[in-house]
Structures are given as C-alpha cells and as structure tokens.
Amino acid sequence: MQGFRQIIACVLGLVLAIGAFAVPLAAQDRVLPYWAALRYKKVNMRVGPSAEYPVSWVYLRKGLPVKVVRIREGWRLVEDHEGTQGWVSASQLDPARGGMVIGTGLAEVRAAADPASAIKWRAEPGVIARMKKCKAGWCEVDIEGRKGFIAAERLWGSQDLPGDE
C-alpha cells in the first residue's frame, strides 16, 4: 500500500511538472510577428538570445511598443520603431498592445473615431499609449488615463500583425 502511494505521488508530481512547462511552451507557439511592449522602465537588448551575449542597447521607456519577429526558447528577437533589432528576455515583455505617436507635429486625439469629431487634446511624437485593436484607420488609446482616438497612421504599433490576439 505504501508503494502504491509513492507511485501515485510520483505520477502526480510528473503531471504537475509537465503542466508547469506546457504554459510557457504554448506561449512560444504564438504566430509571428506580433506586438508587445516593454514591461519595465529599464530593459536590456542583447546581440544574441542569452544573458551571456553583450548588451547592445538599454531601453529606458516602460510601455515602449516592439514587434516580436522571432522566438528562441525564453528570448524574443524584437524590432523597435527605428528598425533596431535585438534579443530581449520574454520576461521583460508585456503582451498588452502599445503604440507610440510617430510623424511630425502634434497628433490629434479625438473624442471618436471620426476626423470630424472634437479634438480632446494633442500628443507629441514619442508619446506612448496603451491601445485596443485599431479599426477603419483609427485606434482607441489610453495615454496615462486619458482616452481618445488617434489616426492609425500616426501610431507605430497600429498595424495588425498575424500573431495579435
């Protein structure tokens, strides 16, 4: 009877261990490319997919959107708005979609997804926003608690990618 309990305990432990690895492995099966955002205020970009590779760039902007273009174990090859590519640990990325105001001049943040809608305020290039899915050339954004709509052409991160959920 004691031997049977040990076998059951071993089997249960094995099932739990497999379950713990299945979730991260399933996350790696996401279709590429997809959008993500930097999870922390300081994130290192490396020249290769390991902490043993040298740091090529240090990002100091929490929420900065990046495009994930390749996956290797716990690392993601990302591309930023300037086209710079490098490897970031998956733990440093937030799967929530973000966007960054691009272009020249101020971007109008409107009350609705309509060019005739009232302008609520204007955002400078470089401003980071949390975004919902973009539709019909407009993206609903949340910039530090202020919500509105910005023309998709003014946001890096607005393009629908195959791996976006």
Side-chain angles (χ1 to χ4, degrees), residues 36-45 57-66 78 80-82 88 92-94 96 98-102 123-130 142-144 155-156:
L38 301 183
R39 185 181 299 265
Y40 303 106
K41 185 178 177 182
K42 182 179 178 185
V43 174
N44 292 330
M45 176 185 273
W57 191 259
V58 178
Y59 290 102
L60 300 173
R61 296 208 55 199
K62 180 179 180 177
L64 184 77
V66 293
V78 300
D80 68 17
H81 65 285
E82 294 178 331
V88 172
Q92 304 297 298
L93 297 176
D94 182 348
M100 184 173 75
V101 177
I102 57 171
E124 294 182 357
V127 167
I128 302 294
R130 297 287 258 181
D142 181 331
I143 301 172
E144 296 184 3
L155 289 168
W156 194 80

Side-chain angles (χ1 to χ4, degrees), residues 23-153:
V23 172
L25 291 175
Q28 291 185 20
D29 289 339
R30 193 168 172 186
V31 175
L32 294 172
Y34 63 88
W35 295 109
L38 301 183
R39 185 181 299 265
Y40 303 106
K41 185 178 177 182
K42 182 179 178 185
V43 174
N44 292 330
M45 176 185 273
R46 297 183 178 274
V47 297
S50 164
E52 294 174 7
Y53 284 94
V55 173
S56 60
W57 191 259
V58 178
Y59 290 102
L60 300 173
R61 296 208 55 199
K62 180 179 180 177
L64 184 77
V66 293
K67 184 189 302 183
V68 177
V69 296
R70 191 167 160 206
I71 293 173
R72 182 154 184 194
E73 297 172 1
W75 292 83
R76 305 295 182 263
L77 179 62
V78 300
E79 181 178 324
D80 68 17
H81 65 285
E82 294 178 331
T84 303
Q85 287 191 351
W87 293 90
V88 172
S89 171
S91 66
Q92 304 297 298
L93 297 176
D94 182 348
R97 193 165 181 171
M100 184 173 75
V101 177
I102 57 171
T104 57
L106 300 174
E108 297 172 341
V109 183
R110 297 190 173 268
D114 181 346
S117 169
I119 297 172
K120 294 176 78 175
W121 79 92
R122 291 175 174 87
E124 294 182 357
V127 167
I128 302 294
R130 297 287 258 181
M131 296 187 344
K132 298 192 178 191
K133 193 165 183 150
C134 301
K135 292 188 266 184
W138 290 91
C139 298
E140 186 176 0
V141 297
D142 181 331
I143 301 172
E144 296 184 3
R146 296 176 71 189
K147 297 178 181 174
F149 294 84
I150 298 179
E153 65 192 23

